[in-house]
């Protein structure tokens, strides 16, 4: 909460305490829906019984708006306290895409309660939208758009927008459809406003339309918005008929969602859309245990390797002292590279045929970085750790070689994953570290054996 | 490149080869600016000499549009081949905010060349904008907005927009200013279009305006867009006078930039805005070496710890075998938690006073996860690694304890960093791993000493 929200929060609490509901209602009427939603979330944390009172004090049209900003958890809590009529009012006032989101988040019994109350036509439409797969373009779109005909003049089109625009998600881009609802072009309100009244829509509309289809992945949809600086995007079916539109406000959420998913995958977590604070510990534990187990069991290799070199280690026990430093540095070096590559792929800066360029680049960088780290380490071991010359050389040489290996693997594996149609984000720090660790140990003991004359 | 772009690319190459410049020009006129920019970037990689030809074939107004989509590297390359007149034409056609971005990216001599050619007034304005700090609201804004007066009727306002809207960044939100340019309210084109012609702007404008100031950080600006689903945001000075506006297309870039910065910081990289493929290896190496050195030197602690327990290790050399697995698992467990917390803070889902709740949650999760990992490991060591019971118990117990420590540190340090006004993203995997590794070793050798009866 920022300062302003804190003042608002405190004011509301005082008025609630004093049961001054008329003043509260006035205060709410002037507030922004997003702020009221934040208020309800905060109140829910500290005074859960007051959320319903606040919600019921909201004017009807504002209530739906506030509701659409709430977290799924809060939506469920409030729905449980609403009467049938109140629930119907809220649902009626919701934008179509918010309505679909809401139904997707609710348990089956609530969905049933709501669908009982709508007309047959709307139920059919809602069911169609509920059937679009999660994370698809279809699941993001709304049907509340303005459609025009290409025979209209600019003046007629503006008149049409004035008559029909009130409950549309956007009126800034209008869609030109023929009798079979085939998308023939788009035209922005800007172009209409700035054009001569007598021109025909057909003369000034944009016919080279960027569009998507219902089953396209939301990440690809977001990429289109980013590349072409779009405000909205039409969604068409196989016959090029318009089935809905996607607006930029939903895309901003998609971008953050996709980023969160990458952050989570890169940290060896199973992704989830639930907010951390609202998720139970069993669910959170389950998202973590899978990869931890896989990686732990993979580490059996490193155990075997050390076991195999037990003789070397027994002869010079102090060799063990450098193992954590070698593993961590190799892991960090690999993680740096794989993060840059994963991010570059996600942003479209690195393409699959950049494979060799990336490897060549990482090879040269890793030599620079490897030599520098090895030199500093060499001096450090001699001066600070009082290590013998042979041990210092062994460790430093291993360090340089493992950094090079780590960076090559870090550069290679994400691109390889992408080529195999896997998400590059899984080839991040944790997995790279495990792979590189095993190799680092083999290198280490072999170099030690040679330099220390143990073979 | 997608399929369509590949076809376009190949077609352009053939026409270039055959020197069919008239057909090329036609092809370009029908293409989208973002596609042409992508084409130039691709051509630059494989046939660098052809980029200038392509750019010169673009119609004048399209050229500026394409130019604004290019990477800084390509912009520099093209500017170097342009004559004074051509450069001036491009610069004149650029939107004001793209012009400022461009000047920020160019070397000083190019900036001088350009500023020589503009009017005194414009130079003053450009210099003012160039002085806003990087990543501030001021550096994102444009001056191309529509301003209205509150005495205007809706009809007059619409007429004003028609007369003045053509070169504005957006006409969908208009800004109501008084004589001293103080921001009195905003009104959307939607509201104007849907309202009665005779109403006054003052009667229907929104006076409770969300705004920002020039020096605010771009991350806070992006948060406002996300929270309130904004399309544009006014930027005001201390006297509440409007100095510019920020539009959503620039915010989408900011969101990706801020995410990239977090990814990089969390991978122990110094953040940079340059694209990977266009950055030299020395610069890339420098961004990596700093943290690698810091973390490597910090690992001296782990070396000391193992050195101190050399007796324990000499007695039971095989203890060394489990060290990599223990370090990796602890690092992964800490990394999972810190990633969730860093992300939760960035998205505003976790607040600073959630401190104790996070710790309590992580404590319970880590017990679940720790016990499960330790059990699997115990069985694994006995059955697969043929370890002795004492060693299996030592390793498994250490595993459970270090996972708990790692998750508590991973939950605590990002929030602590935020409280100390540091970026939570630095308290990620690499640093957490280094800290937890040292603690894990102390725990390990102490448990080993007790269970194996070495003290």
């Amino acid at each position: 909460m920022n300062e302003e929200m804190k003042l608002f929060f405190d004011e509301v609490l005082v008025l609630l305490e004093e049961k001054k509901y008329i003043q509260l209602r006035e205060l709410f009427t002037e507030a922004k829906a997003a702020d009221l939603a934040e208020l309800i979330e905060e109140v829910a944390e500290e005074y859960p019984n007051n959320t319903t009172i606040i919600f019921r004090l909201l004017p009807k049209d504002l209530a739906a708006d506030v509701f659409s900003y709430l977290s799924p958890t809060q939506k469920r809590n409030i729905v449980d306290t609403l009467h049938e009529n109140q629930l119907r009012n809220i649902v009626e006032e919701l934008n179509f895409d918010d309505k679909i989101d809401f139904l997707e988040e609710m348990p089956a019994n609530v969905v049933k309660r709501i669908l009982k109350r709508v007309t047959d036509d709307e139920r059919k439409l809602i069911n169609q939208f509920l059937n679009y797969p999660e994370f698809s373009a279809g699941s993001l779109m709304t049907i509340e758009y303005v459609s025009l005909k290409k025979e209209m003049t600019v003046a007629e089109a503006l008149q049409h927008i004035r008559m029909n625009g009130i409950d549309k998600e956007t009126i800034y881009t209008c869609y030109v459809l023929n009798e079979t609802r085939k998308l023939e072009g788009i035209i922005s309100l800007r172009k209409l406003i700035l054009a001569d009244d007598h021109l025909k829509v057909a003369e000034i509309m944009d016919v080279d339309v960027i569009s998507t289809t219902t089953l396209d992945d939301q990440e690809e949809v977001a990429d289109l918005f980013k590349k072409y600086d779009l405000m909205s995007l039409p969604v068409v079916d196989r016959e090029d008929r318009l089935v809905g539109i996607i607006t930029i406000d939903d895309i901003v959420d998609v971008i953050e969602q996709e980023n969160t998913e990458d952050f989570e995958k890169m940290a060896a977590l199973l992704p989830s859309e639930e907010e951390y604070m609202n998720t139970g510990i069993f669910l959170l534990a389950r998202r973590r245990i899978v990869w931890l187990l896989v990686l732990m069991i993979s580490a059996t290799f490193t155990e075997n390797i050390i076991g195999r070199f037990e003789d070397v280690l027994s002869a010079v026990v102090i060799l063990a002292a450098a193992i954590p430093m070698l593993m961590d540095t190799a892991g960090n070096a690999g993680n740096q590279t794989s993060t840059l590559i994963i991010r570059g792929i996600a942003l479209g800066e690195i393409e699959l045929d950049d494979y060799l360029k990336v490897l060549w680049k990482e090879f040269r960088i890793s030599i620079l970085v490897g030599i520098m780290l090895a030199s500093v380490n060499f001096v450090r071991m001699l001066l600070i750790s009082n290590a013998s010359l042979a041990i210092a050389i062994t460790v430093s040489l291993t360090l340089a070689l493992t950094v090079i290996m780590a960076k090559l693997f870090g550069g290679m594996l994400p691109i390889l994953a992408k080529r195999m149609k896997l998400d590059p984000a899984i080839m991040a720090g944790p997995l790279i570290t495990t792979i590189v660790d095993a190799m680092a140990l083999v290198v280490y003991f072999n170099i030690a054996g040679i330099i220390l004359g143990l073979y």
Side-chain angles (χ1 to χ4, degrees), chain A residues 214-454:
Chain A
T214 49
L215 296 181
D216 282 342
D217 187 74
Q218 63 174 11
E219 199 164 2
E220 289 163 36
V221 173
D223 288 343
L224 287 177
F225 273 85
K226 284 190 269 176
K227 177 170 177 190
Y228 297 105
D229 285 343
L230 303 176
M231 292 291 125
S232 59
L233 177 72
V235 186
V236 296
D237 65 13
R238 282 197 203 138
E239 282 81 39
D240 224 19
R241 282 181 309 225
L242 187 66
V243 284
I245 64 164
I246 299 174
T247 49
I248 179 85
D249 53 318
D250 295 317
I251 291 303
V252 169
D253 298 337
V254 167
I255 292 175
E256 287 294 26
Q257 230 178 67
E258 295 288 335
N259 278 314
T260 300
E261 202 185 301
D262 276 357
F263 275 110
E264 293 178 344
K265 283 190 185 159
M266 289 168 73
L269 287 155
L270 300 184
S272 146
E273 270 197 273
E274 295 287 324
E275 292 193 357
Y276 176 83
M277 296 301 285
N278 294 329
T279 311
I281 60 162
F282 288 98
L283 201 61
L284 281 170
R286 211 181 44 166
R287 291 175 55 197
R288 303 179 187 194
I289 195 74
V290 180
W291 269 106
L292 286 182
L293 272 175
V294 171
L295 294 169
M296 185 190 79
I297 292 170
S298 316
T300 310
F301 285 109
T302 59
E303 217 177 271
N304 285 339
I305 292 166
I306 296 184
R308 217 156 13 103
F309 288 97
E310 207 182 329
D311 301 343
V312 180
L313 208 51
S314 305
V316 193
V317 169
I318 203 61
L319 278 177
I323 289 179
M325 184 277 283
L326 287 171
M327 318 256 96
D328 281 355
T329 308
N332 290 335
N335 188 25
Q336 287 182 330
T337 301
S338 67
T339 297
L340 281 177
I341 305 302
I342 292 168
R343 192 67 188 150
I345 294 174
L347 295 179
E349 290 164 7
I350 295 177
E351 308 210 23
L352 294 191
D353 43 15
D354 291 329
Y355 197 67
L356 287 174
K357 281 186 213 159
V358 168
L359 274 188
W360 173 229
K361 201 161 200 161
E362 284 303 317
F363 181 62
R364 289 174 297 156
I365 296 171
S366 65
I367 288 179
L368 281 177
V369 172
I371 289 178
M372 199 174 304
L373 286 174
S375 314
V376 173
N377 181 62
F378 184 70
V379 174
R380 176 186 73 82
M381 287 189 76
L382 287 184
L383 296 186
I384 303 176
S385 311
N386 288 317
S388 74
L389 189 64
I391 299 247
I393 291 175
T394 304
V395 173
S396 303
L397 201 55
T398 307
L399 186 63
L401 288 174
T402 53
V403 165
I404 294 171
M405 285 192 309
K407 290 215 170 280
L408 290 180
F409 270 86
M412 204 163 57
L413 293 182
I415 301 184
L416 214 65
K418 181 77 184 175
R419 281 187 170 229
M420 295 165 66
K421 313 261 178 215
L422 296 170
D423 189 335
I426 58 165
M427 293 299 177
L431 197 57
I432 304 258
T433 301
T434 304
I435 295 170
V436 175
D437 275 3
M439 296 191 301
L441 284 174
V442 174
V443 172
Y444 187 44
F445 287 117
N446 275 307
I447 292 183
I450 296 165
I451 291 187
L452 301 174
L454 296 171

Side-chain angles (χ1 to χ4, degrees), chain A residues 94-335:
Chain A
L94 284 176
N95 286 335
F96 187 77
D97 55 346
D98 291 331
K99 204 182 288 184
I100 298 296
D101 286 348
F102 167 59
L103 289 171
E104 278 168 351
E105 290 158 2
M106 290 301 111
N109 64 322
V110 175
V111 177
K112 246 193 206 153
R113 253 171 83 192
I114 293 166
L115 287 185
K116 233 171 35 195
R117 298 290 187 146
V118 302
T119 63
D120 281 356
D121 278 354
E122 196 177 8
R123 183 163 38 236
K124 236 172 102 182
L125 197 61
I126 288 176
N127 276 322
Q128 178 198 334
F129 271 68
L130 285 176
N131 274 328
Y132 291 121
E134 216 183 344
F135 313 125
S136 70
S139 76
L140 291 173
M141 69 189 181
T142 180
I143 48 164
E144 291 155 331
Y145 53 83
V146 176
S147 65
L148 300 175
K149 303 236 162 291
K150 65 178 174 185
E151 303 81 28
M152 287 177 171
T153 62
V154 167
E156 285 167 349
L158 285 172
Q159 189 52 29
H160 180 86
I161 296 171
R162 290 191 151 189
M163 303 299 293
N164 298 285
I166 186 101
D167 54 359
K168 303 305 184 194
E169 178 101 12
T170 182
I171 64 170
Y172 297 144
T173 308
C174 303
Y175 301 85
V176 185
L177 307 180
N178 72 5
E179 310 73 47
T180 63
R181 306 201 63 72
K182 198 172 158 302
L183 181 62
E184 299 187 305
I186 59 170
I187 186 159
S188 66
L189 181 58
R190 180 189 189 120
K191 227 174 189 173
L192 285 170
I193 284 277
L194 300 177
D196 276 343
D197 272 350
H198 64 271
L199 285 172
K200 292 264 194 240
V201 165
E203 295 174 76
I204 55 170
M205 70 185 186
D206 191 354
V207 291
D208 191 12
V209 182
I210 297 161
S211 65
T212 186
T213 60
T214 49
L215 296 181
D216 282 342
D217 187 74
Q218 63 174 11
E219 199 164 2
E220 289 163 36
V221 173
D223 288 343
L224 287 177
F225 273 85
K226 284 190 269 176
K227 177 170 177 190
Y228 297 105
D229 285 343
L230 303 176
M231 292 291 125
S232 59
L233 177 72
V235 186
V236 296
D237 65 13
R238 282 197 203 138
E239 282 81 39
D240 224 19
R241 282 181 309 225
L242 187 66
V243 284
I245 64 164
I246 299 174
T247 49
I248 179 85
D249 53 318
D250 295 317
I251 291 303
V252 169
D253 298 337
V254 167
I255 292 175
E256 287 294 26
Q257 230 178 67
E258 295 288 335
N259 278 314
T260 300
E261 202 185 301
D262 276 357
F263 275 110
E264 293 178 344
K265 283 190 185 159
M266 289 168 73
L269 287 155
L270 300 184
S272 146
E273 270 197 273
E274 295 287 324
E275 292 193 357
Y276 176 83
M277 296 301 285
N278 294 329
T279 311
I281 60 162
F282 288 98
L283 201 61
L284 281 170
R286 211 181 44 166
R287 291 175 55 197
R288 303 179 187 194
I289 195 74
V290 180
W291 269 106
L292 286 182
L293 272 175
V294 171
L295 294 169
M296 185 190 79
I297 292 170
S298 316
T300 310
F301 285 109
T302 59
E303 217 177 271
N304 285 339
I305 292 166
I306 296 184
R308 217 156 13 103
F309 288 97
E310 207 182 329
D311 301 343
V312 180
L313 208 51
S314 305
V316 193
V317 169
I318 203 61
L319 278 177
I323 289 179
M325 184 277 283
L326 287 171
M327 318 256 96
D328 281 355
T329 308
N332 290 335
N335 188 25

